[in-house]
Amino acid sequence: MIPPPKNVKQDARAPSTTELPLDQNLGRITNSVGIPVVNEINPLTVGPHGPILLQDAYLIDKLSHFDRERIPERVVHAKGGGAHGYFEVTKDVSHLTCADFLSAVGKRTPMFARFSTVAKEMGSADTVRNPRGFALKFYTQEGNFDMVGNNTPVFFERNPSAFKDLIAVQKRDPRTHLPSPNMFWDYFTLRPVSFHQLLMQFSNRGTPDGFRHMHGYSSHTYKLINRNGQVHYVKWHFRTNQGVKNLSAKRAEELAGTEPDYAIQDLFNAIERKEYPSWTLYFQVLTEKEALNYKYDVLDVTKVISQKDFPLQEVGRFVLDRNPENYFAEVEQAAFAPSHLVPGIAPSADRMLQGRLFSYADTHMHRLGPNHAQLPINSPINPINTTIRDGPLIMGANGGRNPPYYPNSYGGPHPDPSVREYENGCNVEGTVGRYEYELCERDFEQPRALFKLLVASEQQDLISNLAEDVAMTHEYIQRRVVGVLERIDATFAKRVQEALVKS
């Protein structure tokens, strides 16, 4: 149901399965191809105590589908919740981008949001210490635009080849099949550039109070292109209008035991109460010259761009006002990919973003199949006119009799050279090689600033959270953790060391 049918009033409160009217009649039950079923409970047998017959087609239909009703779990962002809503432009940004859905103040675009934990599995608790995924799908008139971000403005790594490894150490030990602090801290102490993200994760920010009370970020730097082909580098910030709230480590642990689906339930119930959560979108905007000359590499996702240097500029806001009717169809099958970019928005050369352009779209090919974009939750609102055909689970006419190739002599479809896919003068040149990001003092400046920005109680929570986790590792790994922290702040490292001694 994407988007809601025009001129059809939506129920303010969609009932759950157990709240449907008791007197309604949904008609007779059928099998998967619409044939009416004579008996739902009793199989076809030879006498009351005899064997079941293979010709019981409905039993076979039901069991064979049951055997296949689970699709592969997401490798990242496995568990989450989502909701429908709309995005509305509140400030003019037409000088920055020709993206149609950002073209005029007051313009509304239907959307779907999915929030999740990042590295944990489907059965994990919503309150575990982990980054949160912040994925948004905008159903624009020029196709679907996906913003696939997190609730932190930075990430662990800046090279996509490390993506698999940083996720692997947050999964389970290959022998014990248990979470392993040794794997976790062994890897990250050998990759100290990750400590900017880790300080956020082990602060109270690592356990947000549900999905409604956290900010969202593109993390990566993107490009915006206007109608004249001019480019600006932009960070996207989605700031919660509910206020930021985090959970203490103790409270997060309690909820993991008593309410493991806390965040999903909180989002669903708020929308049912018509307390519609919203977020305001801001841009941080840099010209090409400003981006080139900035003191930090704007293409390095382990770094932030200071809001003192480049203040936030309001763009619009999104509101979530409708819960899914079916979790599997709408939340579990939702497929987000950073490569889904509409004209006027383009990727930067951020290495991690470049890797994600492939990886996210590819994982949906594996998880949902090559035609996953035709599922209702992923289908655009504008017509699809493509020569891409066939494959499993085609929905619709599959292009009908129109030619599945280009060029052809039968009227197209044809490319549109006016589409702003990249900026004017987009020239790239250089010598092919494997260029290393060398760890340097600059990589510790922002983690240091972050620690000093925390108030005393927040610093103590960070130290306690770190020490509690690191204490479960081998002594040589503990020494490495303290060694990295010394490069950030000597007093910070000393306090963690003292906490480790006491643990």
Side-chain angles (χ1 to χ4, degrees), residues 11-66:
D11 250 351
R13 185 178 188 277
S16 70
T17 301
T18 56
E19 295 173 321
L20 291 172
L22 297 178
D23 57 350
Q24 69 175 346
N25 185 352
L26 298 178
R28 64 183 180 181
I29 196 167
T30 72
N31 70 3
S32 59
V33 294
I35 300 170
V37 173
V38 64
N39 192 302
E40 173 68 19
I41 301 297
N42 301 309
L44 194 62
T45 62
V46 181
H49 304 295
I52 294 175
L53 298 181
L54 186 61
Q55 73 182 58
D56 189 342
Y58 180 59
L59 177 65
I60 301 301
D61 182 43
K62 194 172 182 181
L63 289 180
S64 59
H65 186 279
F66 171 67

Short mmCIF file of all heavy atoms in Angstrom, two decimals, residues 11-66:
data_model
loop_
_atom_site.label_atom_id
_atom_site.label_comp_id
_atom_site.label_asym_id
_atom_site.label_seq_id
_atom_site.Cartn_x
_atom_site.Cartn_y
_atom_site.Cartn_z
N ASP A 11 -7.62 5.09 8.26
CA ASP A 11 -7.95 4.95 9.67
C ASP A 11 -6.88 5.58 10.53
O ASP A 11 -5.70 5.35 10.32
CB ASP A 11 -8.06 3.47 10.03
CG ASP A 11 -9.50 3.08 10.30
OD1 ASP A 11 -10.33 3.99 10.37
OD2 ASP A 11 -9.77 1.88 10.43
N ALA A 12 -7.28 6.39 11.49
CA ALA A 12 -6.30 7.01 12.39
C ALA A 12 -5.60 5.95 13.22
O ALA A 12 -4.45 6.08 13.59
CB ALA A 12 -6.98 8.02 13.29
N ARG A 13 -6.30 4.88 13.50
CA ARG A 13 -5.71 3.82 14.32
C ARG A 13 -5.99 2.47 13.66
O ARG A 13 -7.10 1.97 13.69
CB ARG A 13 -6.29 3.84 15.73
CG ARG A 13 -5.61 2.81 16.66
CD ARG A 13 -6.18 2.91 18.06
NE ARG A 13 -5.43 2.08 18.98
CZ ARG A 13 -5.63 0.77 19.14
NH1 ARG A 13 -6.56 0.17 18.43
NH2 ARG A 13 -4.89 0.09 20.00
N ALA A 14 -4.97 1.90 13.04
CA ALA A 14 -5.14 0.61 12.39
C ALA A 14 -5.09 -0.49 13.44
O ALA A 14 -4.12 -0.62 14.16
CB ALA A 14 -4.03 0.40 11.37
N PRO A 15 -6.14 -1.29 13.57
CA PRO A 15 -6.16 -2.31 14.63
C PRO A 15 -5.18 -3.43 14.35
O PRO A 15 -4.87 -3.74 13.21
CB PRO A 15 -7.60 -2.82 14.58
CG PRO A 15 -8.05 -2.56 13.18
CD PRO A 15 -7.36 -1.29 12.76
N SER A 16 -4.66 -4.03 15.42
CA SER A 16 -3.83 -5.21 15.27
C SER A 16 -4.74 -6.39 14.97
O SER A 16 -5.97 -6.29 15.00
CB SER A 16 -3.03 -5.47 16.54
OG SER A 16 -3.89 -5.90 17.58
N THR A 17 -4.13 -7.55 14.68
CA THR A 17 -4.92 -8.73 14.33
C THR A 17 -5.92 -9.09 15.42
O THR A 17 -7.07 -9.44 15.14
CB THR A 17 -3.98 -9.92 14.09
OG1 THR A 17 -3.07 -9.57 13.04
CG2 THR A 17 -4.75 -11.16 13.69
N THR A 18 -5.52 -8.97 16.67
CA THR A 18 -6.40 -9.36 17.78
C THR A 18 -7.44 -8.31 18.10
O THR A 18 -8.28 -8.52 18.97
CB THR A 18 -5.56 -9.64 19.04
OG1 THR A 18 -4.77 -8.49 19.35
CG2 THR A 18 -4.66 -10.84 18.83
N GLU A 19 -7.41 -7.16 17.42
CA GLU A 19 -8.38 -6.11 17.69
C GLU A 19 -9.40 -5.94 16.56
O GLU A 19 -10.18 -5.01 16.56
CB GLU A 19 -7.65 -4.77 17.90
CG GLU A 19 -6.75 -4.75 19.14
CD GLU A 19 -5.91 -3.50 19.21
OE1 GLU A 19 -5.43 -3.05 18.17
OE2 GLU A 19 -5.74 -2.96 20.31
N LEU A 20 -9.38 -6.84 15.58
CA LEU A 20 -10.34 -6.75 14.49
C LEU A 20 -11.74 -7.07 15.00
O LEU A 20 -11.91 -7.76 16.01
CB LEU A 20 -9.95 -7.74 13.39
CG LEU A 20 -8.65 -7.40 12.62
CD1 LEU A 20 -8.27 -8.55 11.69
CD2 LEU A 20 -8.80 -6.12 11.83
N PRO A 21 -12.77 -6.60 14.31
CA PRO A 21 -14.15 -6.87 14.76
C PRO A 21 -14.43 -8.36 14.85
O PRO A 21 -14.04 -9.14 13.98
CB PRO A 21 -15.00 -6.21 13.66
CG PRO A 21 -14.11 -5.18 13.06
CD PRO A 21 -12.72 -5.73 13.14
N LEU A 22 -15.12 -8.76 15.91
CA LEU A 22 -15.40 -10.18 16.12
C LEU A 22 -16.50 -10.69 15.21
O LEU A 22 -16.62 -11.90 15.00
CB LEU A 22 -15.79 -10.41 17.59
CG LEU A 22 -14.70 -10.08 18.63
CD1 LEU A 22 -15.24 -10.31 20.03
CD2 LEU A 22 -13.45 -10.92 18.39
N ASP A 23 -17.32 -9.80 14.65
CA ASP A 23 -18.47 -10.24 13.87
C ASP A 23 -18.25 -10.12 12.36
O ASP A 23 -19.17 -10.30 11.57
CB ASP A 23 -19.71 -9.44 14.26
CG ASP A 23 -19.51 -7.93 14.09
OD1 ASP A 23 -18.35 -7.51 13.85
OD2 ASP A 23 -20.49 -7.19 14.20
N GLN A 24 -17.04 -9.80 11.93
CA GLN A 24 -16.85 -9.64 10.49
C GLN A 24 -16.74 -11.01 9.81
O GLN A 24 -16.37 -12.01 10.42
CB GLN A 24 -15.60 -8.81 10.19
CG GLN A 24 -14.28 -9.47 10.52
CD GLN A 24 -13.10 -8.63 10.07
OE1 GLN A 24 -13.25 -7.69 9.29
NE2 GLN A 24 -11.92 -8.94 10.57
N ASN A 25 -17.08 -11.04 8.53
CA ASN A 25 -17.02 -12.27 7.74
C ASN A 25 -16.04 -12.06 6.60
O ASN A 25 -16.31 -11.30 5.67
CB ASN A 25 -18.42 -12.63 7.22
CG ASN A 25 -18.43 -13.96 6.49
OD1 ASN A 25 -17.39 -14.57 6.23
ND2 ASN A 25 -19.64 -14.43 6.15
N LEU A 26 -14.90 -12.74 6.66
CA LEU A 26 -13.88 -12.59 5.63
C LEU A 26 -14.05 -13.58 4.49
O LEU A 26 -13.20 -13.68 3.61
CB LEU A 26 -12.48 -12.76 6.26
CG LEU A 26 -12.11 -11.72 7.33
CD1 LEU A 26 -10.74 -12.03 7.90
CD2 LEU A 26 -12.17 -10.31 6.78
N GLY A 27 -15.15 -14.34 4.48
CA GLY A 27 -15.42 -15.26 3.39
C GLY A 27 -14.74 -16.60 3.58
O GLY A 27 -14.06 -16.85 4.57
N ARG A 28 -14.89 -17.48 2.60
CA ARG A 28 -14.36 -18.83 2.71
C ARG A 28 -12.84 -18.84 2.47
O ARG A 28 -12.31 -18.04 1.72
CB ARG A 28 -15.07 -19.78 1.76
CG ARG A 28 -14.88 -19.47 0.28
CD ARG A 28 -15.71 -20.45 -0.56
NE ARG A 28 -15.54 -20.18 -1.99
CZ ARG A 28 -16.16 -20.85 -2.95
NH1 ARG A 28 -16.99 -21.83 -2.62
NH2 ARG A 28 -15.96 -20.56 -4.21
N ILE A 29 -12.18 -19.80 3.11
CA ILE A 29 -10.73 -19.91 3.00
C ILE A 29 -10.36 -20.63 1.70
O ILE A 29 -11.09 -21.50 1.23
CB ILE A 29 -10.15 -20.64 4.23
CG1 ILE A 29 -8.65 -20.44 4.33
CG2 ILE A 29 -10.49 -22.12 4.21
CD1 ILE A 29 -8.08 -20.87 5.67
N THR A 30 -9.25 -20.22 1.11
CA THR A 30 -8.78 -20.85 -0.13
C THR A 30 -7.32 -21.26 0.03
O THR A 30 -6.64 -20.88 0.99
CB THR A 30 -8.88 -19.88 -1.32
OG1 THR A 30 -7.86 -18.88 -1.20
CG2 THR A 30 -10.24 -19.21 -1.39
N ASN A 31 -6.84 -22.02 -0.95
CA ASN A 31 -5.41 -22.29 -0.99
C ASN A 31 -4.69 -21.14 -1.68
O ASN A 31 -5.30 -20.10 -1.99
CB ASN A 31 -5.12 -23.65 -1.64
CG ASN A 31 -5.41 -23.66 -3.14
OD1 ASN A 31 -5.77 -22.64 -3.74
ND2 ASN A 31 -5.26 -24.82 -3.75
N SER A 32 -3.41 -21.31 -1.98
CA SER A 32 -2.62 -20.18 -2.49
C SER A 32 -2.99 -19.78 -3.92
O SER A 32 -2.56 -18.72 -4.38
CB SER A 32 -1.13 -20.52 -2.41
OG SER A 32 -0.84 -21.68 -3.17
N VAL A 33 -3.74 -20.62 -4.63
CA VAL A 33 -4.16 -20.24 -5.98
C VAL A 33 -5.66 -20.01 -6.06
O VAL A 33 -6.25 -20.00 -7.15
CB VAL A 33 -3.71 -21.30 -7.03
CG1 VAL A 33 -2.21 -21.33 -7.13
CG2 VAL A 33 -4.27 -22.68 -6.70
N GLY A 34 -6.30 -19.81 -4.89
CA GLY A 34 -7.70 -19.39 -4.87
C GLY A 34 -8.73 -20.50 -4.86
O GLY A 34 -9.93 -20.23 -4.89
N ILE A 35 -8.30 -21.75 -4.81
CA ILE A 35 -9.26 -22.87 -4.78
C ILE A 35 -9.82 -23.00 -3.37
O ILE A 35 -9.06 -23.04 -2.40
CB ILE A 35 -8.56 -24.18 -5.21
CG1 ILE A 35 -8.01 -24.04 -6.63
CG2 ILE A 35 -9.50 -25.37 -5.09
CD1 ILE A 35 -7.10 -25.18 -7.05
N PRO A 36 -11.14 -23.09 -3.23
CA PRO A 36 -11.73 -23.17 -1.88
C PRO A 36 -11.31 -24.44 -1.15
O PRO A 36 -11.14 -25.51 -1.75
CB PRO A 36 -13.24 -23.15 -2.14
CG PRO A 36 -13.40 -23.53 -3.57
CD PRO A 36 -12.17 -23.06 -4.28
N VAL A 37 -11.13 -24.31 0.15
CA VAL A 37 -10.68 -25.40 1.02
C VAL A 37 -11.87 -25.99 1.75
O VAL A 37 -12.64 -25.26 2.38
CB VAL A 37 -9.61 -24.90 2.01
CG1 VAL A 37 -9.27 -25.98 3.03
CG2 VAL A 37 -8.37 -24.44 1.26
N VAL A 38 -12.01 -27.32 1.71
CA VAL A 38 -13.16 -27.97 2.33
C VAL A 38 -12.94 -28.17 3.82
O VAL A 38 -13.90 -28.17 4.61
CB VAL A 38 -13.46 -29.32 1.64
CG1 VAL A 38 -12.32 -30.31 1.82
CG2 VAL A 38 -14.78 -29.91 2.13
N ASN A 39 -11.69 -28.38 4.24
CA ASN A 39 -11.41 -28.61 5.66
C ASN A 39 -10.01 -28.10 5.97
O ASN A 39 -9.04 -28.53 5.36
CB ASN A 39 -11.52 -30.10 5.98
CG ASN A 39 -11.53 -30.37 7.49
OD1 ASN A 39 -10.60 -30.00 8.19
ND2 ASN A 39 -12.59 -31.01 7.97
N GLU A 40 -9.89 -27.20 6.92
CA GLU A 40 -8.61 -26.56 7.24
C GLU A 40 -7.77 -27.39 8.20
O GLU A 40 -6.55 -27.28 8.24
CB GLU A 40 -8.86 -25.16 7.84
CG GLU A 40 -7.66 -24.44 8.37
CD GLU A 40 -6.66 -24.01 7.30
OE1 GLU A 40 -7.05 -23.95 6.12
OE2 GLU A 40 -5.50 -23.74 7.65
N ILE A 41 -8.40 -28.23 9.00
CA ILE A 41 -7.72 -28.93 10.09
C ILE A 41 -7.34 -30.35 9.75
O ILE A 41 -6.21 -30.79 9.97
CB ILE A 41 -8.59 -28.90 11.37
CG1 ILE A 41 -8.89 -27.45 11.79
CG2 ILE A 41 -7.88 -29.66 12.49
CD1 ILE A 41 -7.67 -26.64 12.15
N ASN A 42 -8.29 -31.11 9.22
CA ASN A 42 -8.10 -32.56 9.08
C ASN A 42 -7.53 -32.92 7.72
O ASN A 42 -8.12 -32.59 6.68
CB ASN A 42 -9.43 -33.28 9.30
CG ASN A 42 -10.01 -32.99 10.67
OD1 ASN A 42 -9.32 -33.13 11.68
ND2 ASN A 42 -11.27 -32.57 10.71
N PRO A 43 -6.41 -33.65 7.68
CA PRO A 43 -5.85 -34.06 6.40
C PRO A 43 -6.65 -35.20 5.78
O PRO A 43 -7.51 -35.80 6.43
CB PRO A 43 -4.44 -34.54 6.79
CG PRO A 43 -4.58 -35.02 8.19
CD PRO A 43 -5.60 -34.11 8.83
N LEU A 44 -6.37 -35.48 4.52
CA LEU A 44 -7.05 -36.55 3.79
C LEU A 44 -6.35 -37.87 4.11
O LEU A 44 -5.18 -38.07 3.78
CB LEU A 44 -6.98 -36.26 2.28
CG LEU A 44 -7.88 -37.05 1.36
CD1 LEU A 44 -9.36 -36.78 1.69
CD2 LEU A 44 -7.60 -36.68 -0.10
N THR A 45 -7.04 -38.79 4.80
CA THR A 45 -6.43 -40.04 5.26
C THR A 45 -7.23 -41.25 4.78
O THR A 45 -8.39 -41.14 4.37
CB THR A 45 -6.36 -40.08 6.80
OG1 THR A 45 -7.69 -40.05 7.34
CG2 THR A 45 -5.56 -38.92 7.35
N VAL A 46 -6.58 -42.40 4.85
CA VAL A 46 -7.26 -43.67 4.57
C VAL A 46 -7.88 -44.14 5.89
O VAL A 46 -7.19 -44.73 6.73
CB VAL A 46 -6.28 -44.72 4.03
CG1 VAL A 46 -7.02 -46.04 3.74
CG2 VAL A 46 -5.59 -44.22 2.77
N GLY A 47 -9.13 -43.83 6.09
CA GLY A 47 -9.78 -44.16 7.34
C GLY A 47 -9.32 -43.23 8.45
O GLY A 47 -8.39 -42.44 8.29
N PRO A 48 -9.95 -43.32 9.61
CA PRO A 48 -9.62 -42.41 10.71
C PRO A 48 -8.23 -42.60 11.28
O PRO A 48 -7.67 -41.68 11.88
CB PRO A 48 -10.70 -42.72 11.76
CG PRO A 48 -11.17 -44.09 11.45
CD PRO A 48 -11.07 -44.23 9.95
N HIS A 49 -7.61 -43.79 11.10
CA HIS A 49 -6.30 -44.06 11.67
C HIS A 49 -5.26 -44.41 10.61
O HIS A 49 -4.16 -44.85 10.93
CB HIS A 49 -6.39 -45.18 12.70
CG HIS A 49 -7.38 -44.92 13.79
ND1 HIS A 49 -7.26 -43.89 14.70
CD2 HIS A 49 -8.56 -45.56 14.08
CE1 HIS A 49 -8.30 -43.91 15.52
NE2 HIS A 49 -9.10 -44.90 15.17
N GLY A 50 -5.60 -44.24 9.33
CA GLY A 50 -4.70 -44.62 8.26
C GLY A 50 -3.74 -43.51 7.85
O GLY A 50 -3.79 -42.39 8.37
N PRO A 51 -2.85 -43.80 6.88
CA PRO A 51 -1.85 -42.82 6.44
C PRO A 51 -2.48 -41.67 5.66
O PRO A 51 -3.58 -41.80 5.10
CB PRO A 51 -0.92 -43.65 5.56
CG PRO A 51 -1.78 -44.77 5.05
CD PRO A 51 -2.71 -45.08 6.18
N ILE A 52 -1.77 -40.58 5.62
CA ILE A 52 -2.21 -39.40 4.85
C ILE A 52 -1.89 -39.63 3.39
O ILE A 52 -0.84 -40.17 3.02
CB ILE A 52 -1.49 -38.13 5.37
CG1 ILE A 52 -1.93 -37.84 6.81
CG2 ILE A 52 -1.77 -36.94 4.47
CD1 ILE A 52 -1.19 -36.69 7.46
N LEU A 53 -2.79 -39.21 2.51
CA LEU A 53 -2.60 -39.36 1.07
C LEU A 53 -1.80 -38.19 0.50
O LEU A 53 -2.02 -37.02 0.86
CB LEU A 53 -3.96 -39.44 0.36
CG LEU A 53 -4.86 -40.62 0.74
CD1 LEU A 53 -6.16 -40.56 -0.06
CD2 LEU A 53 -4.14 -41.94 0.50
N LEU A 54 -0.90 -38.52 -0.43
CA LEU A 54 -0.11 -37.48 -1.09
C LEU A 54 -0.99 -36.56 -1.91
O LEU A 54 -0.61 -35.42 -2.19
CB LEU A 54 0.96 -38.15 -1.98
CG LEU A 54 1.98 -37.22 -2.65
CD1 LEU A 54 2.79 -36.47 -1.60
CD2 LEU A 54 2.91 -38.03 -3.56
N GLN A 55 -2.17 -37.01 -2.28
CA GLN A 55 -3.05 -36.17 -3.10
C GLN A 55 -3.72 -35.06 -2.30
O GLN A 55 -4.48 -34.27 -2.87
CB GLN A 55 -4.11 -37.05 -3.77
CG GLN A 55 -5.19 -37.56 -2.83
CD GLN A 55 -6.18 -38.46 -3.54
OE1 GLN A 55 -5.81 -39.48 -4.13
NE2 GLN A 55 -7.46 -38.08 -3.49
N ASP A 56 -3.45 -34.99 -0.99
CA ASP A 56 -3.98 -33.88 -0.19
C ASP A 56 -3.21 -32.63 -0.58
O ASP A 56 -2.26 -32.20 0.09
CB ASP A 56 -3.85 -34.17 1.30
CG ASP A 56 -4.59 -33.16 2.17
OD1 ASP A 56 -4.91 -32.07 1.65
OD2 ASP A 56 -4.83 -33.45 3.35
N ALA A 57 -3.61 -32.02 -1.68
CA ALA A 57 -2.87 -30.89 -2.26
C ALA A 57 -2.81 -29.69 -1.31
O ALA A 57 -1.82 -28.96 -1.29
CB ALA A 57 -3.51 -30.49 -3.58
N TYR A 58 -3.88 -29.49 -0.54
CA TYR A 58 -3.87 -28.33 0.36
C TYR A 58 -2.86 -28.51 1.48
O TYR A 58 -2.15 -27.57 1.84
CB TYR A 58 -5.26 -28.08 0.94
CG TYR A 58 -5.28 -26.87 1.86
CD1 TYR A 58 -4.90 -25.62 1.39
CD2 TYR A 58 -5.65 -26.99 3.20
CE1 TYR A 58 -4.90 -24.51 2.23
CE2 TYR A 58 -5.65 -25.89 4.04
CZ TYR A 58 -5.27 -24.65 3.54
OH TYR A 58 -5.25 -23.55 4.37
N LEU A 59 -2.75 -29.71 2.04
CA LEU A 59 -1.76 -29.96 3.07
C LEU A 59 -0.35 -29.73 2.52
O LEU A 59 0.49 -29.09 3.17
CB LEU A 59 -1.90 -31.39 3.60
CG LEU A 59 -0.85 -31.81 4.64
CD1 LEU A 59 -0.98 -30.98 5.91
CD2 LEU A 59 -0.96 -33.29 4.95
N ILE A 60 -0.08 -30.25 1.31
CA ILE A 60 1.23 -30.06 0.68
C ILE A 60 1.49 -28.58 0.43
O ILE A 60 2.59 -28.06 0.66
CB ILE A 60 1.31 -30.86 -0.63
CG1 ILE A 60 1.08 -32.35 -0.37
CG2 ILE A 60 2.66 -30.62 -1.31
CD1 ILE A 60 2.05 -32.97 0.60
N ASP A 61 0.47 -27.87 -0.07
CA ASP A 61 0.60 -26.44 -0.34
C ASP A 61 0.95 -25.68 0.94
O ASP A 61 1.85 -24.83 0.97
CB ASP A 61 -0.74 -25.93 -0.91
CG ASP A 61 -0.71 -24.45 -1.26
OD1 ASP A 61 0.29 -23.99 -1.85
OD2 ASP A 61 -1.70 -23.76 -0.95
N LYS A 62 0.27 -26.02 2.02
CA LYS A 62 0.45 -25.30 3.28
C LYS A 62 1.82 -25.59 3.90
O LYS A 62 2.53 -24.67 4.34
CB LYS A 62 -0.67 -25.72 4.25
CG LYS A 62 -0.83 -24.83 5.46
CD LYS A 62 -2.08 -25.22 6.24
CE LYS A 62 -2.29 -24.31 7.44
NZ LYS A 62 -3.50 -24.70 8.21
N LEU A 63 2.23 -26.87 3.92
CA LEU A 63 3.50 -27.23 4.54
C LEU A 63 4.69 -26.77 3.71
O LEU A 63 5.70 -26.32 4.26
CB LEU A 63 3.57 -28.75 4.75
CG LEU A 63 2.65 -29.33 5.83
CD1 LEU A 63 2.83 -30.84 5.92
CD2 LEU A 63 2.93 -28.68 7.18
N SER A 64 4.60 -26.88 2.39
CA SER A 64 5.74 -26.48 1.55
C SER A 64 5.97 -24.98 1.62
O SER A 64 7.11 -24.51 1.59
CB SER A 64 5.52 -26.93 0.10
OG SER A 64 4.34 -26.35 -0.44
N HIS A 65 4.88 -24.20 1.74
CA HIS A 65 5.05 -22.76 1.91
C HIS A 65 5.62 -22.45 3.29
O HIS A 65 6.49 -21.59 3.44
CB HIS A 65 3.73 -22.02 1.70
CG HIS A 65 3.89 -20.53 1.72
ND1 HIS A 65 3.97 -19.80 2.88
CD2 HIS A 65 4.02 -19.63 0.70
CE1 HIS A 65 4.13 -18.53 2.58
NE2 HIS A 65 4.16 -18.40 1.27
N PHE A 66 5.13 -23.16 4.30
CA PHE A 66 5.64 -22.98 5.66
C PHE A 66 7.14 -23.23 5.72
O PHE A 66 7.89 -22.50 6.39
CB PHE A 66 4.90 -23.94 6.60
CG PHE A 66 5.48 -24.01 7.99
CD1 PHE A 66 5.42 -22.91 8.85
CD2 PHE A 66 6.10 -25.17 8.45
CE1 PHE A 66 5.95 -22.98 10.13
CE2 PHE A 66 6.64 -25.24 9.73
CZ PHE A 66 6.57 -24.13 10.57
#
